Structure formats: structure tokens, C-alpha cells
Amino acid sequence: MTSLDYFLFTAFPYVAISVFVIGSIYRYTRKGYKVSSLSAQFLEGKQGFWGTVPFHFGMLVVFLGHLLAFLFPAGVLAWNSNPMRLIAHEGIGFTFAVALLVGLIILMIRRLTHPRLKAVNTRMDLFVELVLLAQVILGCWIALGYRWGSSWFAADLSPYLWSILKLNPQPEAVVAMPLVIKAHIVGAFSIFLIFPFTRLIHILVAPFHYIWRPYQVVIWNWNKKDIRDSTTPWSKARPRNN
Amino acid sequence: MDIRSQISMVFHLDKCIGCHTCSVACKNIWTDRKGAEYQWWNNVETKPGTGYPGKWEDQDIYKGGWEKKSNGAGNGESGDIKLKGAGKRKGLGNIFHNPNLPVIDDYYEPFTYKYLDLIESPAGDDQPTARPVSLITGKHIDIKMGPNWDDDLGGSPDYARNDPNLKNLTPAEREAMFQLEKMAFFYLPRICNHCLNPGCVASCPSGALYKRGEDGIVLVNQEVCRGWRMCVTACPYKKTYYNWHTGKSEKCILCFPRIEAGLAPACMHSCVGRIRYLGVVLYDADKIQDVASAPEDELVNRHMDIMLDPNDPEVIEAAKQNGVADSTIRSAQASPIYKFVKEWGMALPLHSEFRTLPMLFYVPPLLPVMASLSRANNAEQAEKLGAKTKFWSDDWLYDTSTEELFGTIDQARFPLQYMANLFSAGDTDMVRERLMKLMAVRIHRRHVTVGDVSKEKADGALHEAGLTAEMADAIYYLTALAKFDDRFVIPAAHREQAIEMMEFTGDKKGNTGFGFKEGTAQRGL
């Protein structure tokens, strides 16, 4: 094991995850105003549709696929034990990965060519898109060239990721893997690393609470009933400075 | 009964001259910023016309507001209304790409002119010009749309004929509106309606939009807004706007910092025609859902019935129980809104059928309705007018006679059905009732001031319109003579109590003025 391998598969994941957690919390609490993705649909809607929809749904399925193989490796291996189910599993995953790739390319072309979008572009947006593009191309390459990814992910990578989570990193299996797969793993941790500094942060504020919320929101600045009741003090807190 | 107070408004359209002073006042204070250039929280539209954004009233295009699914029950108890283009299922399903979001071209691409070219161009054979440049891209553009692009284009094919409110007018009625010599239009100033059942609030996945409990002003919390843009779709009046630069939604805030200080909102304060009235009304919040899901033919009346009589002792008692301040109740009793909407029955909400229960009411305009045209007998008119005034060779004349009371309302060149589509969900009787009141007040005042209308005739007109002479004089006063404090009855905001609820004011001593919001600046280690 070279020292570079040792750094990339033991130290780097901890750096990336620490930056991800601390950076996200810092940004949400201190710079909360910008915790969102700057939508450009208002400036350009038609071409964006063909990019953003396949991109997001592709990303959703591909990410959940990785997450399931990480969380439930035994279950994924059991599912894959039947060849038909394995091919269906891999086929669906690859289809969405291609959708993700196509959507991403359309979004990048749109970002670079549409005159109105140039007004809202940042260099960081382009950087994120390039990182994602590299990662998706590597992922598709792996899916085609190193079959069957869903099985060996569950068998070899999931234990590695758990070993990192358990603060007892076991990078041996990963170090022995082909270069493409190593690059994909480093890419994944790199995305975690840059996450808090980019528009990717909007994933963390996905509005699931809308599902349980009543439709109408009314906010009272104070409790009027308390104010009108002469027996209650308006201020529940005592002064701190006297 | 859950009695709350709501800041409500009346716009008297008969007095609007379409000068756009309100729009400019608002623009200068709130939306003169990058990303907000195209936003007009207050805008004035020419009607008939397509408005801003184009055809905003056509919910087949924009999918705004609520729609009632089943019309069967009739009692409206079930609350079976759904957001047309947003909501939990549609909103989250379309969160990556909202198919019903208007884009900037539906409003207009904001622009300025290269004025400096006029000064700095080198000497040449041609006069230098100030070419238009886009405020988004900074490049030259050919302007296709702008603020108030349809201003005064009452009979135009692109704007007036595409007005969604013409939907159930007969072809003959439409043509009558657009013939050049008969053409009529009026102005419709629009701001956020601060609805009781706001679509924008209901559609916000982040929960950034909210209605203030104390005064019912609908606001966007800019810190919570994540730019999902569902509110832009859900507001049927298209009065929430997406700021493309900040990635946040913005809307009319009813100048709440001014209202809390007892000042009228800027658009209202600056109104040259003094058409705007603002006051507080008491309403029963328990009824909102029932009223919003009422059958279409009862909707307008039930919407206005949600307002409660602020002089009713029971209402006062219930309001006090619910914590409404005495000063607010007193303001509600003096409110010009309650008078216009309930006491006199002269104002109507705009597009009740969107079911958001807007709290901005309009007194429909009488003038374009009243000024009907009749084919004059040329010889007779020439004899009557020729000696004193220049006689117009066209043989169409405005009929402004008062001989046949109310006759002109139904034979107007401006179809009542059009007004009804705007203000009463298509019910012409409700609009006719309001126009008759406006006409009766004029006839009464003509009797009082000019005297060529007999008392019998004036009283008859008042009686037919359901008014008394005292009411007519009060209407006349509030319409024509009212002073600032009559038009704007703003209750105290009691912000001092709000502050004391949240923190001890002693803690803040020494922290205002030259205080620190984020601690002292760090210098070195």
C-alpha cells in the first residue's frame, strides 16, 4: 500500500466528511440566506426541462441505489442471486445513470450557451458540473466494464465504507481495485468535500416537512391573549443585565 | 368564532386616472434592485387588456388559485378545494421543473438605454442614439414588452381582444367594445390582495410564506425561502415574483414598516386620484374554509359576509376574548372598508372565483358604463349646441341625460357582463346594483348642488338603489372630500408589546444605535 493510497482511502474520507458536516452546519446557521440552488427556470424554461428532469430523477435513483447497497449489502446480494433480478436491477440503475448523464450534458450546454444564463453563472457552478460529469462518466464506465457493480459494491465496498464509519478504516480491498473504481471512490468523497461550498447544499433543505404541514401558515408575533390578561407578565424572561 | 383583524383595502375605480404614480412610488422604494427590475408589486392595467403578466387571469395557462373539485354538496362544509397548479402532490412532484411557472418573457425583459452614448459618441454624420440594453444580459435587445405596454390600448387587437374576461360575451358585445368611436376602457390598479386563503402560502414547500396573525399581511420570509417557486404559480393574481438574482420569491409587503408606524403604504399615500382606502376589518377565521369552498354562485356574497360588524356588541366581546386590541376594534369601527363593502354595498372583490378570498375590494367604475352613445339628431343638436359650442360633425353623441334614470346602465356601450366577469364571478346583478348606487349618489348630489333634478326624482333614484339621503351624503363625502385620516384608518401596531414578549428591553439598552449585531470585530489574535 503506497502512502498515496493510504491517504486517499483512509485520511481523505475523514477530511471530506468532516468538512461536509461542519461546513454544512456552518453555512446553514451563519449563511442560511444562500442555502438553496439558484433556479434559472425563470430565465430559460424550455431547454432546461430536458436537462433538469432527467438529471434530477437520474441522480435520485442512482444515489438511492448506492445508498441501499451501502446500508443493506446482504439484502442486495440476496436480490442479485437470481440472474434475472440482477439484470433488471443493473438495467434500471444504468438507465437512470444514462438519464443523469444526458441531463447533465444538456444542462452544461444550456449554462454555457444561453445568453441569459451567463448573468447567473458562477465559476463554482461550472466546477460542480465538471466534477459531477467526471463522476458520472466513471460510474457508467464501471457499470459496463466491471460487472456486476451492484454485487461487488455490496460485497467489498460496503464493508469498507462501514469500516470508515466505525473509525476503523480497512482500505485493503479498495486499494486492490482497478484505477477507474478508485477514481470513482475518490470522486465521491471529493463531492462531499466541496458540498458545503456549492449549490449542492440545496439537497439538505429538500422540503419534506411540507407533506405534514397544514396548508395555511399564520404567524403571531406575540400572544395577544397573554397581553390582555393583566395577571400575566408580558415578559417571561428576566433581564440578564440587572 | 375565531375573530381576527385584517388590514383590508378598497380601490375606487371611478376615480382612477391611470397615472401610475402608485407604481412608481412602489418601484422606487421596494423593487429598484437587481433581479427585481421586472417586478411591479403595484401595477395599473388598462381593461379590457391582457394585463401583467400577459393574460394573467387565464388560469388554463397559469394554473393559479384554487379549484373546487365536486360541486355536489353545495353547503361547502367539506372544504373540497385544491390548488390548481401546486399543492403537496403537484408541488413536490414538479419540484425539479415547475411546468406552470411563468418565465420572464411572460412579464417582459427588463431594459435600460445606453444614455451615455448620447454624450460620448464621436462626432459623425448621424445623430447618436441611446440603444436599449437588457438589464439581464447587458446586450442590446429589441424591446418586445415593457411595463404598461398595453397602457390605454383599449381597442387594440393584441391586448384588448385577448382579454380573458371576454369569455362569455357575445360576439356583438365584443365588437361593440372595440369599435373605435365607441371604444371604452378603464384602469385596474393591482397590488397583492393579502388574501384570507392565500394560494401562495399554501403552495410554499419551505413554509417561507406566512400570514401575519395580527394584521393579516402576507409576507415571504427571505431567510426561509429556498426558491422552489411554487408561490409564483399558485397566486392567481401573479403577485408573487421570483427574483432571478437572489433566487428568492418576493411580493408586496403592504409597506408594513410604514403601516406599523401609522403611515399609509407608499402606493396609497402617493395616489393622485385618492382612489385608495385602507382600514382594518374584523372577520371570523373559522369560516375561511367554508367560504373558500362555497358554490360559485354564492361565493362573492359569502366572501363579503365573512366580515363582521365591528359595532355589534357580541362581535366586540368575542374579539376582546380573542385578544384583539381595543385600539384595533376602534379602528375597525371607523374603517372606510367596512362602509364601502358592507354598510353601503358598493365594492366587490376581484375574481372571487379564484377562491383565495382577496381582501382588496374594488368599487366598479361607472363612467365607461354610463357614457353610452346614441345617434344624435344632427339638426336638433346643431340648433341646441351650435350657437354656443363647436358642433362635432360626427353624428354619434354621448348620452349623458338624466331623464331616464338608470336607463344607460343596461344599454351601456360597456357590457355589464364584462364587469361581472371581473368583479362578481359573472353575476351581472351584483355589478348593476353597485353601479345604480354610484348613479343614485350622483343624481342626489346633482339635486343638492345644481338643482335641476327634482327632489322626487332624486329620492326615487336613491330609493331604487337602496340608499338614503344620509348614506348618499356620507358616500359623497368619503368619495370626493375625504381627508387622509378618513381614507386611512390604521390601527396601532403595538410593536412595543411584541418586543417585550420576546425579550427584556433592558437587555437591549446600549445595543441600539451604535450597537453590534454580530459582536465586535476581531482584530488579530
Side-chain angles (χ1 to χ4, degrees):
Chain A
M1 195 194 291
T2 66
S3 58
L4 180 67
D5 278 338
Y6 190 78
F7 171 74
L8 286 179
F9 298 109
T10 54
F12 182 59
Y14 288 108
V15 173
I17 291 169
S18 309
V19 170
F20 167 71
V21 172
I22 296 168
S24 298
I25 292 171
Y26 179 81
R27 180 158 172 195
Y28 186 84
T29 51
R30 294 299 180 86
K31 311 271 182 203
Y33 181 74
K34 286 191 170 179
V35 177
S36 67
S37 184
L38 183 60
S39 166
Q41 195 198 337
F42 182 70
L43 297 176
E44 197 291 311
K46 289 196 182 74
Q47 198 189 352
F49 170 80
W50 298 104
T52 192
V53 171
F55 171 78
H56 277 99
F57 282 105
M59 180 66 93
L60 213 59
V61 171
V62 169
F63 176 73
L64 286 178
H66 285 70
L67 192 69
L68 280 179
F70 163 59
L71 292 176
F72 310 108
V76 170
L77 283 174
W79 173 273
N80 284 350
S81 59
N82 179 324
M84 288 312 289
R85 290 193 303 211
L86 168 67
I87 289 169
H89 179 186
E90 289 266 339
I92 290 170
F94 192 71
T95 310
F96 278 91
V98 169
L100 163 56
L101 181 63
V102 171
L104 183 58
I105 291 170
I106 293 174
L107 285 178
M108 287 182 80
I109 294 171
R110 169 175 176 256
R111 181 174 293 286
L112 291 172
T113 57
H114 199 282
R116 279 184 191 157
L117 260 66
K118 286 181 182 159
V120 289
N121 274 352
T122 62
R123 271 172 298 188
M124 188 53 115
D125 291 341
L126 195 63
F127 177 67
V128 168
E129 284 179 340
L130 286 172
V131 170
L132 288 180
L133 186 69
Q135 185 71 352
V136 176
I137 289 173
L138 286 174
C140 291
W141 183 355
I142 292 166
L144 289 177
Y146 300 91
R147 269 167 280 183
W148 298 97
S150 58
S151 288
W152 59 251
F153 185 105
D156 294 337
L157 273 184
S158 182
Y160 161 67
L161 294 173
W162 278 111
S163 77
I164 288 185
L165 216 63
K166 288 172 179 162
L167 304 180
N168 179 24
Q170 309 281 339
E172 290 76 15
V174 174
V175 170
M177 282 185 176
L179 196 63
V180 185
I181 298 175
K182 283 197 208 168
H184 192 68
I185 295 167
V186 173
F189 284 118
S190 304
I191 291 171
F192 274 100
L193 182 74
I194 60 172
F195 192 95
F197 312 104
T198 67
R199 65 194 304 157
L200 294 175
I201 193 98
H202 77 278
I203 299 164
L204 296 184
V205 289
F208 293 113
H209 56 292
Y210 185 41
I211 298 168
W212 297 279
R213 193 195 87 195
Y215 270 122
Q216 297 296 358
V217 181
V218 177
I219 291 181
W220 296 85
N221 281 322
W222 70 90
N223 186 337
K224 282 186 165 180
K225 287 183 182 174
D226 273 1
I227 285 178
R228 291 188 71 87
D229 182 355
S230 58
T231 61
T232 59
W234 294 346
S235 182
K236 303 258 164 65
R238 291 308 306 154
R240 277 166 293 172
N241 57 356
N242 58 5
Chain B
M1 210 147 57
D2 178 11
I3 295 193
R4 295 181 192 168
S5 62
Q6 162 83 36
I7 302 273
S8 181
M9 301 148 275
V10 164
F11 290 2
H12 197 309
L13 295 185
D14 235 0
K15 305 204 312 167
C16 182
I17 57 172
C19 65
H20 304 282
T21 307
C22 44
S23 305
V24 173
C26 176
K27 169 62 72 182
N28 279 329
I29 296 181
W30 300 118
T31 58
D32 191 14
R33 290 171 286 124
K34 190 171 182 187
E37 305 97 339
Y38 82 95
Q39 300 176 5
W40 293 87
W41 294 355
N42 180 106
N43 75 307
V44 184
E45 287 165 15
T46 301
K47 286 280 164 194
T50 49
Y52 159 86
K55 296 195 191 177
W56 61 271
E57 289 149 298
D58 190 344
Q59 303 308 345
D60 290 336
I61 301 175
Y62 288 108
K63 314 271 191 226
W66 304 82
E67 61 183 348
K68 193 170 163 67
K69 278 291 176 197
S70 60
N71 236 335
N75 54 5
E77 299 299 317
S78 51
D80 50 351
I81 51 170
K82 282 196 170 76
L83 284 169
K84 200 177 168 85
K88 292 182 182 179
R89 196 171 49 77
K90 286 178 194 156
L92 293 176
N94 292 331
I95 198 145
F96 302 135
H97 180 93
N98 178 0
N100 306 316
L101 180 78
V103 295
I104 187 130
D105 299 305
D106 291 320
Y107 303 82
Y108 66 93
E109 182 162 355
F111 54 85
T112 183
Y113 296 93
K114 292 187 99 174
Y115 294 107
L116 218 55
D117 285 358
L118 296 176
I119 300 165
E120 294 185 341
S121 295
D125 292 337
D126 302 312
Q127 191 85 318
T129 54
R131 287 181 68 190
V133 287
S134 164
L135 280 171
I136 298 175
T137 62
K139 304 255 165 50
H140 292 296
I141 54 166
D142 288 324
I143 301 169
K144 297 195 179 66
M145 258 303 246
N148 302 307
W149 214 238
D150 59 346
D151 202 27
D152 289 353
L153 294 177
S156 61
D158 282 1
Y159 299 111
R161 279 166 203 262
N162 285 325
D163 187 324
N165 297 300
L166 300 170
K167 56 180 184 284
N168 48 3
L169 267 64
T170 64
E173 279 178 318
R174 292 181 189 210
E175 281 318 304
M177 287 170 79
F178 300 139
Q179 283 169 22
L180 191 58
E181 65 275 13
K182 289 186 163 192
M183 192 191 73
F185 57 79
F186 64 97
Y187 300 106
L188 183 71
R190 301 201 297 123
I191 65 170
C192 168
N193 293 292
H194 297 279
C195 305
L196 293 184
N197 186 33
C200 57
V201 174
S203 72
C204 179
S206 306
L209 279 135
Y210 63 99
K211 194 170 177 66
R212 290 216 298 196
E214 289 80 12
D215 51 15
I217 296 176
V218 178
L219 296 171
V220 188
N221 184 338
Q222 294 284 301
E223 294 283 337
V224 179
C225 174
R226 307 282 173 220
W228 306 115
R229 313 171 307 284
M230 291 302 159
C231 53
V232 183
T233 299
C235 174
Y237 302 93
K238 288 292 161 281
K239 280 294 169 192
T240 36
Y241 301 91
Y242 177 70
N243 182 319
W244 56 266
H245 179 63
T246 62
K248 309 268 174 174
S249 283
E250 298 177 5
K251 63 179 288 302
C252 161
I253 58 173
L254 204 60
C255 288
F256 75 83
R258 289 175 61 94
I259 286 200
E260 284 171 9
L263 298 166
C267 59
M268 311 206 176
H269 202 140
S270 64
C271 179
V272 173
R274 301 183 179 184
I275 77 157
R276 299 188 177 208
Y277 301 84
L278 179 137
V280 69
V281 294
L282 302 177
Y283 72 100
D284 186 356
D286 284 340
K287 285 191 183 153
I288 291 175
Q289 194 166 13
D290 286 356
V291 173
S293 45
E296 191 125 308
D297 51 333
E298 298 172 21
L299 194 57
V300 183
N301 277 326
R302 288 185 63 177
H303 175 189
M304 293 190 291
D305 283 345
I306 205 167
M307 281 190 193
L308 299 168
D309 182 357
N311 292 308
D312 181 343
E314 272 180 45
V315 172
I316 294 172
E317 190 46 43
K320 283 186 175 178
Q321 286 290 319
N322 215 26
V324 178
D326 291 343
S327 60
T328 307
I329 296 173
R330 274 197 304 280
S331 293
Q333 288 164 347
S335 168
I337 313 307
Y338 188 79
K339 291 192 182 104
F340 269 120
V341 179
K342 297 286 290 183
E343 237 175 276
W344 303 330
M346 292 179 71
L348 288 166
L350 179 64
H351 287 304
S352 270
E353 69 274 18
F354 299 158
R355 299 181 182 274
T356 61
L357 307 186
M359 289 313 264
L360 163 53
F361 298 87
Y362 291 90
V363 178
L366 177 64
L367 289 176
V369 178
M370 193 181 81
S372 70
L373 283 171
S374 60
R375 196 175 270 272
N377 180 335
N378 259 347
E380 194 187 314
Q381 288 293 334
E383 193 186 329
K384 203 162 124 190
L385 300 171
K388 289 174 198 158
T389 58
K390 181 169 169 280
F391 181 62
W392 195 21
S393 60
D394 196 330
D395 62 351
W396 286 98
L397 270 187
Y398 286 102
D399 178 9
T400 53
S401 70
T402 50
E403 273 158 36
E404 199 187 330
L405 297 177
F406 307 127
T408 48
I409 290 178
D410 282 310
Q411 301 144 21
R413 62 179 175 155
F414 209 88
L416 275 187
Q417 186 64 53
Y418 179 81
M419 297 277 189
N421 287 346
L422 273 172
F423 299 116
S424 60
D427 183 350
T428 48
D429 288 343
M430 295 182 80
V431 176
R432 184 183 297 111
E433 208 180 291
R434 267 104 192 140
L435 293 175
M436 276 173 73
K437 285 181 178 169
L438 285 165
M439 188 79 118
V441 171
R442 276 159 198 257
I443 293 168
H444 167 73
R445 289 304 302 173
R446 177 129 183 166
H447 157 70
V448 173
T449 55
V450 182
D452 64 342
V453 177
S454 69
K455 182 163 170 43
E456 292 72 44
K457 209 166 175 178
D459 287 350
L462 288 175
H463 181 72
E464 205 173 326
L467 297 172
T468 64
E470 291 74 38
M471 281 163 92
D473 285 329
I475 293 168
Y476 164 69
Y477 176 81
L478 203 56
T479 306
L481 304 176
K483 301 293 181 284
F484 191 90
D485 290 338
D486 302 319
R487 287 181 281 130
F488 306 110
V489 184
I490 300 167
H494 298 293
R495 294 294 291 175
E496 70 288 356
Q497 296 177 3
I499 288 167
E500 288 183 25
M501 281 294 284
M502 288 184 278
E503 59 207 3
F504 195 82
T505 47
D507 290 346
K508 293 290 159 192
K509 249 181 179 178
N511 282 332
T512 50
F514 285 96
F516 300 103
K517 201 181 166 206
E518 290 183 349
T520 51
Q522 298 292 314
R523 293 174 186 86
L525 294 171

